[in-house]
Amino acid sequence: MPKYPECWDSCGNCRTGEVFVQSVLVCAGETVKFDDTLIVLETGKVALDIPCPHSGTVVEMKVDEGEPIDQGELIALVEVD
């Protein structure tokens, strides 16, 4: 999980309450490209697409829809091409 934007701590307008996984868009066995969206987060006020940092094959998703998530958490295992 990437680092949250700095403004979340300073003003907090985008983030109210827990951040949780709204949608999981890929599953194990799927091929993904760099920058494909893996999951969508819900912050209370905005939805954020979280992209894949590499191209490859998804080995395992480590999050489920509805789960809370924090920066630094593992989202998926991807076997890089």
Side-chain angles (χ1 to χ4, degrees), residues 26-62:
V26 297
C27 60
E30 286 189 43
T31 300
V32 291
K33 296 179 186 169
F34 170 77
D35 217 25
D36 282 354
T37 301
L38 296 176
I39 63 174
V40 178
L41 299 182
E42 174 63 44
T43 69
K45 290 193 176 189
V46 296
L48 297 171
D49 292 344
I50 303 301
C52 189
H54 305 283
S55 294
T57 302
V58 177
V59 175
E60 181 182 359
M61 290 303 295
K62 294 290 197 175

Short mmCIF file of all heavy atoms in Angstrom, two decimals, residues 26-62:
data_model
loop_
_atom_site.label_atom_id
_atom_site.label_comp_id
_atom_site.label_asym_id
_atom_site.label_seq_id
_atom_site.Cartn_x
_atom_site.Cartn_y
_atom_site.Cartn_z
N VAL A 26 -8.73 -7.39 -9.39
CA VAL A 26 -7.99 -8.49 -10.00
C VAL A 26 -7.99 -9.68 -9.05
O VAL A 26 -8.28 -9.54 -7.87
CB VAL A 26 -6.53 -8.10 -10.34
CG1 VAL A 26 -6.50 -6.99 -11.38
CG2 VAL A 26 -5.76 -7.69 -9.11
N CYS A 27 -7.66 -10.85 -9.58
CA CYS A 27 -7.57 -12.04 -8.74
C CYS A 27 -6.37 -12.87 -9.15
O CYS A 27 -5.75 -12.61 -10.20
CB CYS A 27 -8.86 -12.86 -8.80
SG CYS A 27 -9.29 -13.46 -10.42
N ALA A 28 -6.05 -13.86 -8.35
CA ALA A 28 -4.90 -14.72 -8.61
C ALA A 28 -5.01 -15.33 -10.00
O ALA A 28 -6.09 -15.74 -10.44
CB ALA A 28 -4.82 -15.81 -7.55
N GLY A 29 -3.88 -15.35 -10.70
CA GLY A 29 -3.83 -15.92 -12.04
C GLY A 29 -3.97 -14.90 -13.16
O GLY A 29 -3.64 -15.18 -14.31
N GLU A 30 -4.46 -13.71 -12.84
CA GLU A 30 -4.63 -12.68 -13.87
C GLU A 30 -3.30 -12.00 -14.19
O GLU A 30 -2.45 -11.82 -13.34
CB GLU A 30 -5.62 -11.62 -13.40
CG GLU A 30 -7.05 -12.09 -13.43
CD GLU A 30 -8.03 -10.96 -13.17
OE1 GLU A 30 -7.84 -9.86 -13.73
OE2 GLU A 30 -8.98 -11.19 -12.42
N THR A 31 -3.17 -11.63 -15.45
CA THR A 31 -2.02 -10.86 -15.90
C THR A 31 -2.34 -9.38 -15.74
O THR A 31 -3.43 -8.93 -16.10
CB THR A 31 -1.71 -11.16 -17.38
OG1 THR A 31 -1.43 -12.57 -17.50
CG2 THR A 31 -0.51 -10.38 -17.87
N VAL A 32 -1.39 -8.63 -15.18
CA VAL A 32 -1.56 -7.20 -15.00
C VAL A 32 -0.39 -6.47 -15.65
O VAL A 32 0.69 -7.01 -15.79
CB VAL A 32 -1.66 -6.81 -13.50
CG1 VAL A 32 -2.94 -7.30 -12.89
CG2 VAL A 32 -0.46 -7.30 -12.72
N LYS A 33 -0.67 -5.24 -16.05
CA LYS A 33 0.35 -4.38 -16.63
C LYS A 33 0.69 -3.29 -15.62
O LYS A 33 -0.10 -2.99 -14.72
CB LYS A 33 -0.15 -3.73 -17.92
CG LYS A 33 -0.44 -4.72 -19.01
CD LYS A 33 -0.96 -4.01 -20.24
CE LYS A 33 -1.38 -5.03 -21.28
NZ LYS A 33 -2.12 -4.41 -22.37
N PHE A 34 1.85 -2.68 -15.82
CA PHE A 34 2.24 -1.54 -15.00
C PHE A 34 1.12 -0.52 -15.02
O PHE A 34 0.58 -0.20 -16.07
CB PHE A 34 3.53 -0.92 -15.53
CG PHE A 34 3.88 0.39 -14.88
CD1 PHE A 34 4.42 0.42 -13.62
CD2 PHE A 34 3.64 1.58 -15.54
CE1 PHE A 34 4.73 1.63 -13.01
CE2 PHE A 34 3.94 2.80 -14.95
CZ PHE A 34 4.50 2.82 -13.67
N ASP A 35 0.72 -0.04 -13.88
CA ASP A 35 -0.27 1.02 -13.69
C ASP A 35 -1.72 0.54 -13.80
O ASP A 35 -2.63 1.35 -13.69
CB ASP A 35 -0.01 2.18 -14.64
CG ASP A 35 -0.31 3.53 -14.00
OD1 ASP A 35 -0.26 3.63 -12.76
OD2 ASP A 35 -0.61 4.49 -14.73
N ASP A 36 -1.96 -0.77 -14.03
CA ASP A 36 -3.33 -1.28 -13.95
C ASP A 36 -3.83 -1.13 -12.52
O ASP A 36 -3.07 -1.33 -11.56
CB ASP A 36 -3.40 -2.76 -14.33
CG ASP A 36 -3.34 -3.02 -15.82
OD1 ASP A 36 -3.37 -2.06 -16.61
OD2 ASP A 36 -3.27 -4.22 -16.19
N THR A 37 -5.09 -0.81 -12.34
CA THR A 37 -5.64 -0.65 -11.00
C THR A 37 -5.86 -2.03 -10.37
O THR A 37 -6.52 -2.89 -10.95
CB THR A 37 -6.98 0.12 -11.05
OG1 THR A 37 -6.75 1.40 -11.64
CG2 THR A 37 -7.56 0.31 -9.66
N LEU A 38 -5.28 -2.21 -9.17
CA LEU A 38 -5.46 -3.45 -8.42
C LEU A 38 -6.68 -3.39 -7.52
O LEU A 38 -7.48 -4.32 -7.47
CB LEU A 38 -4.22 -3.73 -7.55
CG LEU A 38 -2.91 -3.97 -8.26
CD1 LEU A 38 -1.78 -4.11 -7.24
CD2 LEU A 38 -2.99 -5.20 -9.14
N ILE A 39 -6.79 -2.28 -6.77
CA ILE A 39 -7.89 -2.11 -5.83
C ILE A 39 -8.34 -0.65 -5.85
O ILE A 39 -7.61 0.23 -6.32
CB ILE A 39 -7.51 -2.50 -4.38
CG1 ILE A 39 -6.40 -1.60 -3.83
CG2 ILE A 39 -7.13 -3.97 -4.29
CD1 ILE A 39 -6.08 -1.83 -2.35
N VAL A 40 -9.53 -0.43 -5.33
CA VAL A 40 -10.05 0.93 -5.13
C VAL A 40 -10.27 1.09 -3.64
O VAL A 40 -10.87 0.23 -2.99
CB VAL A 40 -11.37 1.16 -5.90
CG1 VAL A 40 -11.90 2.56 -5.64
CG2 VAL A 40 -11.18 0.92 -7.39
N LEU A 41 -9.75 2.19 -3.10
CA LEU A 41 -9.92 2.49 -1.68
C LEU A 41 -11.02 3.51 -1.49
O LEU A 41 -11.23 4.38 -2.32
CB LEU A 41 -8.63 3.08 -1.10
CG LEU A 41 -7.39 2.23 -1.14
CD1 LEU A 41 -6.25 2.98 -0.46
CD2 LEU A 41 -7.62 0.90 -0.48
N GLU A 42 -11.70 3.42 -0.37
CA GLU A 42 -12.70 4.41 0.03
C GLU A 42 -12.15 5.10 1.27
O GLU A 42 -11.77 4.45 2.24
CB GLU A 42 -14.02 3.72 0.35
CG GLU A 42 -15.07 4.64 0.92
CD GLU A 42 -15.49 5.75 -0.04
OE1 GLU A 42 -15.69 5.46 -1.23
OE2 GLU A 42 -15.61 6.90 0.42
N THR A 43 -12.11 6.43 1.22
CA THR A 43 -11.53 7.18 2.33
C THR A 43 -12.58 7.91 3.15
O THR A 43 -12.25 8.62 4.08
CB THR A 43 -10.54 8.24 1.80
OG1 THR A 43 -11.27 9.25 1.11
CG2 THR A 43 -9.50 7.63 0.90
N GLY A 44 -13.82 7.79 2.81
CA GLY A 44 -14.88 8.52 3.49
C GLY A 44 -15.39 9.65 2.62
O GLY A 44 -16.56 9.97 2.62
N LYS A 45 -14.49 10.27 1.85
CA LYS A 45 -14.89 11.36 0.95
C LYS A 45 -14.48 11.13 -0.48
O LYS A 45 -15.09 11.70 -1.38
CB LYS A 45 -14.29 12.68 1.43
CG LYS A 45 -14.91 13.19 2.71
CD LYS A 45 -14.53 14.62 2.95
CE LYS A 45 -15.24 15.14 4.18
NZ LYS A 45 -15.06 16.56 4.33
N VAL A 46 -13.45 10.33 -0.71
CA VAL A 46 -12.98 10.08 -2.08
C VAL A 46 -12.66 8.60 -2.25
O VAL A 46 -12.38 7.89 -1.30
CB VAL A 46 -11.73 10.92 -2.43
CG1 VAL A 46 -12.02 12.39 -2.42
CG2 VAL A 46 -10.56 10.59 -1.53
N ALA A 47 -12.71 8.16 -3.51
CA ALA A 47 -12.25 6.81 -3.87
C ALA A 47 -10.91 6.96 -4.58
O ALA A 47 -10.74 7.86 -5.40
CB ALA A 47 -13.27 6.15 -4.79
N LEU A 48 -9.97 6.11 -4.22
CA LEU A 48 -8.63 6.17 -4.80
C LEU A 48 -8.29 4.87 -5.49
O LEU A 48 -8.39 3.79 -4.88
CB LEU A 48 -7.57 6.41 -3.71
CG LEU A 48 -7.64 7.69 -2.92
CD1 LEU A 48 -6.67 7.63 -1.76
CD2 LEU A 48 -7.28 8.85 -3.82
N ASP A 49 -7.88 4.95 -6.76
CA ASP A 49 -7.39 3.78 -7.48
C ASP A 49 -5.95 3.53 -7.07
O ASP A 49 -5.13 4.45 -7.07
CB ASP A 49 -7.43 4.01 -8.99
CG ASP A 49 -8.84 4.11 -9.54
OD1 ASP A 49 -9.79 3.72 -8.84
OD2 ASP A 49 -8.99 4.56 -10.69
N ILE A 50 -5.62 2.27 -6.73
CA ILE A 50 -4.26 1.91 -6.37
C ILE A 50 -3.70 1.05 -7.50
O ILE A 50 -4.17 -0.06 -7.74
CB ILE A 50 -4.21 1.15 -5.02
CG1 ILE A 50 -4.85 1.98 -3.92
CG2 ILE A 50 -2.77 0.78 -4.68
CD1 ILE A 50 -4.21 3.35 -3.67
N PRO A 51 -2.68 1.58 -8.21
CA PRO A 51 -2.15 0.89 -9.38
C PRO A 51 -1.08 -0.15 -9.03
O PRO A 51 -0.47 -0.11 -7.96
CB PRO A 51 -1.53 2.03 -10.19
CG PRO A 51 -1.07 2.99 -9.15
CD PRO A 51 -2.10 2.90 -8.05
N CYS A 52 -0.86 -1.04 -9.97
CA CYS A 52 0.19 -2.04 -9.84
C CYS A 52 1.54 -1.40 -10.21
O CYS A 52 1.64 -0.74 -11.24
CB CYS A 52 -0.09 -3.22 -10.77
SG CYS A 52 1.00 -4.62 -10.50
N PRO A 53 2.57 -1.59 -9.39
CA PRO A 53 3.86 -0.97 -9.68
C PRO A 53 4.68 -1.74 -10.71
O PRO A 53 5.73 -1.26 -11.14
CB PRO A 53 4.56 -0.97 -8.33
CG PRO A 53 3.96 -2.12 -7.59
CD PRO A 53 2.54 -2.22 -8.08
N HIS A 54 4.23 -2.94 -11.13
CA HIS A 54 4.98 -3.77 -12.08
C HIS A 54 4.02 -4.52 -12.99
O HIS A 54 2.86 -4.72 -12.64
CB HIS A 54 5.84 -4.80 -11.36
CG HIS A 54 6.77 -4.21 -10.35
ND1 HIS A 54 7.93 -3.58 -10.69
CD2 HIS A 54 6.71 -4.16 -9.00
CE1 HIS A 54 8.55 -3.17 -9.60
NE2 HIS A 54 7.82 -3.50 -8.56
N SER A 55 4.51 -4.98 -14.12
CA SER A 55 3.76 -5.91 -14.97
C SER A 55 4.06 -7.32 -14.51
O SER A 55 5.17 -7.62 -14.07
CB SER A 55 4.18 -5.75 -16.43
OG SER A 55 3.82 -4.49 -16.92
N GLY A 56 3.07 -8.20 -14.63
CA GLY A 56 3.30 -9.59 -14.26
C GLY A 56 2.00 -10.34 -14.06
O GLY A 56 0.96 -9.94 -14.57
N THR A 57 2.09 -11.41 -13.29
CA THR A 57 0.93 -12.25 -13.00
C THR A 57 0.64 -12.20 -11.51
O THR A 57 1.54 -12.37 -10.68
CB THR A 57 1.21 -13.72 -13.41
OG1 THR A 57 1.52 -13.74 -14.81
CG2 THR A 57 0.01 -14.60 -13.16
N VAL A 58 -0.62 -11.98 -11.17
CA VAL A 58 -1.03 -11.93 -9.77
C VAL A 58 -0.96 -13.35 -9.21
O VAL A 58 -1.59 -14.27 -9.73
CB VAL A 58 -2.46 -11.36 -9.61
CG1 VAL A 58 -2.89 -11.39 -8.16
CG2 VAL A 58 -2.54 -9.96 -10.18
N VAL A 59 -0.15 -13.52 -8.16
CA VAL A 59 -0.02 -14.82 -7.50
C VAL A 59 -1.07 -14.94 -6.41
O VAL A 59 -1.72 -15.98 -6.27
CB VAL A 59 1.40 -14.99 -6.91
CG1 VAL A 59 1.52 -16.28 -6.11
CG2 VAL A 59 2.45 -14.92 -8.01
N GLU A 60 -1.26 -13.85 -5.64
CA GLU A 60 -2.22 -13.88 -4.54
C GLU A 60 -2.62 -12.46 -4.17
O GLU A 60 -1.77 -11.58 -4.09
CB GLU A 60 -1.58 -14.55 -3.32
CG GLU A 60 -2.46 -14.67 -2.12
CD GLU A 60 -1.74 -15.30 -0.93
OE1 GLU A 60 -0.56 -15.67 -1.04
OE2 GLU A 60 -2.39 -15.42 0.12
N MET A 61 -3.91 -12.25 -3.93
CA MET A 61 -4.39 -10.99 -3.39
C MET A 61 -4.38 -11.11 -1.88
O MET A 61 -4.81 -12.12 -1.32
CB MET A 61 -5.80 -10.67 -3.88
CG MET A 61 -5.88 -10.32 -5.36
SD MET A 61 -4.83 -8.93 -5.85
CE MET A 61 -5.59 -7.58 -4.95
N LYS A 62 -3.88 -10.09 -1.20
CA LYS A 62 -3.74 -10.12 0.25
C LYS A 62 -4.81 -9.29 0.96
O LYS A 62 -4.78 -9.19 2.18
CB LYS A 62 -2.35 -9.60 0.65
CG LYS A 62 -1.23 -10.49 0.19
CD LYS A 62 -1.26 -11.77 0.99
CE LYS A 62 0.03 -12.52 0.91
NZ LYS A 62 0.03 -13.69 1.78
#
